[in-house]
Amino acid sequence: MKPSPTAAPISGAGADRLFRLVTAGAAWLVLALLGGAAVSMAWGGRLAFETFGWGFITGRDWDAVAGNFGALVPIYGTLVTSAIALIIAVPISIGIALFLTDIAPRWAKGPIGVAIELLAAIPSIIYGMWGLFVFAPFMAAHVEPWLNERLGPLPVLGPLFTGPPIGIGLLTASIVLGIMIIPFITAVARDVFDAVPRSLKEAAVSLGSTRWEVLSRVTLPYTRSAIIGAIFLGLGRALGETMAVTFVLGNAHDLSPSLLMPSNSIAAAIANEFTEADTALYRSALIALAFLLFVVTFIVLSAAKLMLMRIGKTHGRVH
């Protein structure tokens, strides 16, 4: 009795071809979604771009009643808060990662690592409420008066730290944002530092290197490109943060050099005002803000990719 016919198994070459088509389709789907999102936002903001032209990007005024919209203040607030957040978060994150991988005793690695992961799991609105009800009053009562008194009279730094100690502004939002991105940079940096071959560290120790020399001359140079990638990952997270920044930034469309003054960001402006947009031009201006945030993020991450490629080439020539 003959066995019932069954479907012939896919050959090795056919399976490879199918796998290549599926993975290529997934990759092109991501590009299509990215392009579709950019086109839809640009189309939604076309009315604002047609009405104001380049003045929409360089304009300071944001007057919904008069129908006059400029994106300079939200762009400025987004870039300044993200930059200061990185200045705060990067050294702390790398220090925590180095401590966990090379310095901390075994019994301390687990609890500290879990605490870092829990910080990453806290919703951004919780950070915002903590910043508004706990951190902002602390800044207004203790930090900002000291900054006004000590740094305000200085000729260069003075304008950055002069202003009413209200606790809400660019500096407070930047610190909260820096706390939020610390877990993300730390998690990536910790995994990268763990991947450094132990033989390299042992070789450095055998040559008489101290622990600091091993960290600074072996661990950090070996993981340089990956650390830069982790930093830009945190920057991307900071650029798009909405709720926490909305609580503590002040939501004021005022351009001031002082870090103590309230300001605005692109994400916060969209979150605060989209439900109040009662005209087509108002809605288009907010969608145009979203498109500008997309463009800024794309430029920053593209610059990071180019930097990583250059570092990779240099690393290859050196080694």
Side-chain angles (χ1 to χ4, degrees):
M1 187 174 181
K2 295 182 178 180
S4 58
T6 57
I10 302 176
S11 63
D16 287 343
R17 191 179 305 111
L18 178 62
F19 179 73
R20 184 169 60 251
L21 290 175
V22 171
T23 54
W28 285 108
L29 177 62
V30 171
L31 290 178
L33 292 174
L34 187 66
V39 170
S40 64
M41 286 185 290
W43 181 259
R46 73 189 187 282
L47 180 59
F49 290 127
E50 291 173 355
T51 303
F52 305 107
W54 285 104
F56 180 75
I57 300 176
T58 59
R60 300 184 180 185
D61 297 330
W62 188 273
D63 190 346
V65 177
N68 187 19
F69 300 101
L72 183 60
V73 174
I75 293 173
Y76 172 79
T78 300
L79 296 178
V80 169
T81 54
S82 300
I84 298 176
L86 278 187
I87 294 173
I88 296 171
V90 168
I92 297 176
S93 301
I94 294 178
I96 294 173
L98 289 174
F99 177 76
L100 291 177
T101 54
D102 292 282
I103 301 175
R106 187 179 299 272
W107 59 267
K109 293 183 178 180
I112 298 177
V114 171
I116 295 296
E117 294 172 358
L118 289 177
L119 283 176
I122 297 176
S124 60
I125 193 171
I126 303 300
Y127 280 105
M129 295 179 65
W130 170 79
L132 179 63
F133 296 112
V134 178
F135 189 63
F138 172 80
M139 290 287 292
H142 303 286
V143 178
E144 293 183 356
W146 185 89
L147 293 175
N148 264 305
E149 180 182 352
R150 301 297 177 88
L151 301 182
L154 297 180
V156 178
L157 296 178
L160 296 176
F161 301 101
T162 302
I166 57 178
I168 292 177
L170 286 167
L171 182 60
T172 301
S174 301
I175 296 175
V176 172
L177 199 56
I179 295 172
M180 290 183 64
I181 66 176
I182 282 175
F184 297 94
I185 302 177
T186 300
V188 177
R190 180 184 180 185
D191 292 339
V192 170
F193 292 157
D194 278 332
V196 177
R198 179 169 290 275
S199 59
L200 293 179
K201 299 179 181 179
E202 293 175 348
V205 173
S206 67
L207 294 175
S209 300
T210 62
R211 175 173 289 176
W212 165 248
E213 290 172 336
V214 171
L215 295 178
S216 60
R217 298 182 181 181
V218 177
T219 301
L220 289 177
Y222 187 87
T223 59
R224 177 174 51 188
S225 60
I227 292 301
I228 293 176
I231 292 172
F232 278 95
L233 175 65
L235 177 59
R237 176 76 172 84
L239 288 171
E241 177 53 40
T242 304
M243 294 310 300
V245 175
T246 303
F247 273 89
V248 296
L249 188 53
N251 308 315
H253 286 278
D254 296 324
L255 190 62
S256 172
S258 176
L259 299 178
L260 308 185
M261 295 296 293
S263 186
N264 213 336
S265 70
I266 296 177
I270 296 172
N272 277 323
E273 303 183 31
F274 202 84
T275 56
E276 302 175 0
D278 54 355
T279 64
L281 182 60
Y282 197 175
R283 288 190 297 270
S284 179
L286 293 174
I287 298 174
L289 278 181
F291 177 72
L292 291 177
L293 179 59
F294 178 89
V295 171
V296 169
T297 306
F298 182 80
I299 292 174
V300 168
L301 296 183
S302 298
K305 183 63 177 177
L306 293 175
M307 185 183 300
L308 291 177
M309 292 173 60
R310 180 174 298 180
I311 290 175
K313 291 179 181 179
T314 304
H315 190 272
R317 287 197 299 267
V318 173
H319 295 282

